[in-house]
Amino acid sequence: GAVVSQHPSWVICKSGTSVKIECRSLDFQATTMFWYRQFPKQSLMLMATSNEGSKATYEQGVEKDKFLINHASLTLSTLTVTSAHPEDSSFYICSARVGQDTQYFGPGTRLTVL
Amino acid sequence: AQSVTQLGSHVSVSEGALVLLRCNYSSSVPPYLFWYVQYPNQGLQLLLKYTSAATLVKGINGFEAEFKKSETSFHLTKPSAHMSDAAEYFCAVRGEGGAGGTSYGKLTFGQGTILTVHP
């Protein structure tokens, strides 16, 4: 099956620094990738839709200047958490869409901001 | 807008017993529904999906789900639980609207149900 990777899988950073998370589709191309955030013991919440070659579309309540998304190629989307704060600590998961109905999910990145 | 509600945040069964995880949906159009499984510190894996074809959908690992329009339900079942089934399960519905719409392809997830399997 299709594989989506995320890097890093786990990151700890100091408050005020920026962190970049990569999402790659390894054996297929994806014009659309999604970024989700999952707080402990909660469901996935869609943050934004990443479209190759165009600006990302953000869900209501998500600060686009804080969560920068770049979809530079058909196999790579990046999420940069700028000026991270402890409340940004979460599990970030990306997915790559194939067709209309199928999303392949990455293994997630756990971000801890001290 | 669509939504899904999972009844029961925790379900505990004995190994070999029936697994039943409940999901009810709300949608103004015929929904596309999904069940995903998440193991600790991992992403989601698709178990099965309903896309308006057969109402009884068979998935991986022996799971199946039945779409019941009259009950607006899409419950997940497995006849005999295995220890390896212990995980968190999410029901999801695909966004309404065609290509180009703001909801196209988006998934809305339920709250999740943690399945515990006892020996």
Side-chain angles (χ1 to χ4, degrees):
Chain A
V3 177
V4 175
S5 70
Q6 283 185 239
H7 178 80
S9 57
W10 181 59
V11 58
I12 300 175
C13 70
K14 293 182 179 180
S15 183
T17 61
S18 295
V19 174
K20 179 184 286 188
I21 302 170
E22 294 185 347
C23 176
R24 293 182 185 272
S25 56
L26 296 185
D27 49 1
F28 65 101
Q29 295 180 333
T31 55
T32 299
M33 293 182 174
F34 298 97
W35 286 97
Y36 297 86
R37 180 166 55 186
Q38 184 180 30
F39 290 107
K41 302 187 185 302
Q42 295 188 28
S43 187
L44 282 76
M45 297 299 296
L46 180 64
M47 299 175 65
T49 303
S50 171
N51 300 294
E52 188 270 337
S54 64
K55 291 183 178 180
T57 55
Y58 291 80
E59 296 300 301
Q60 190 173 7
V62 178
E63 300 175 60
K64 59 183 178 182
D65 293 332
K66 181 170 185 62
F67 298 99
L68 301 180
I69 291 173
N70 183 284
H71 197 151
S73 75
L74 290 172
T75 60
L76 174 64
S77 175
T78 60
L79 168 69
T80 300
V81 182
T82 62
S83 186
H85 290 283
E87 57 266 29
D88 299 322
S89 299
S90 188
F91 195 50
Y92 292 87
I93 301 174
C94 73
S95 71
R97 190 179 72 198
V98 175
Q100 187 177 6
D101 302 319
T102 302
Q103 290 186 32
Y104 295 100
F105 286 80
T109 296
R110 184 161 301 285
L111 170 64
T112 301
V113 185
L114 302 177
Chain B
Q2 297 106 316
S3 65
V4 289
T5 301
Q6 292 181 239
L7 302 178
S9 59
H10 289 80
V11 170
S12 180
V13 300
S14 299
E15 191 172 21
L18 170 71
V19 175
L20 171 61
L21 304 181
R22 300 177 186 274
C23 173
N24 287 90
Y25 69 90
S26 173
S27 177
S28 59
V29 299
Y32 281 25
L33 295 160
F34 306 80
W35 274 101
Y36 287 87
V37 60
Q38 184 182 32
Y39 297 98
N41 296 312
Q42 295 186 27
L44 275 67
Q45 180 181 7
L46 179 66
L47 281 176
L48 49 81
K49 62 181 179 182
Y50 168 75
T51 57
S52 75
T55 57
L56 181 62
V57 182
K58 294 186 183 298
I60 62 172
N61 300 339
F63 284 94
E64 63 182 35
E66 185 172 9
F67 173 75
K68 292 187 176 180
K69 183 178 179 180
S70 61
E71 299 178 7
T72 61
S73 69
F74 189 57
H75 301 331
L76 181 71
T77 60
K78 182 174 180 178
S80 177
H82 191 273
M83 296 295 289
S84 61
D85 295 326
E88 188 161 16
Y89 293 79
F90 291 96
C91 182
V93 61
R94 196 196 74 187
E96 298 176 5
T102 56
S103 296
Y104 180 65
K106 294 181 181 179
L107 292 176
T108 299
F109 288 87
Q111 302 90 325
T113 299
I114 295 174
L115 175 65
T116 302
V117 182
H118 295 289

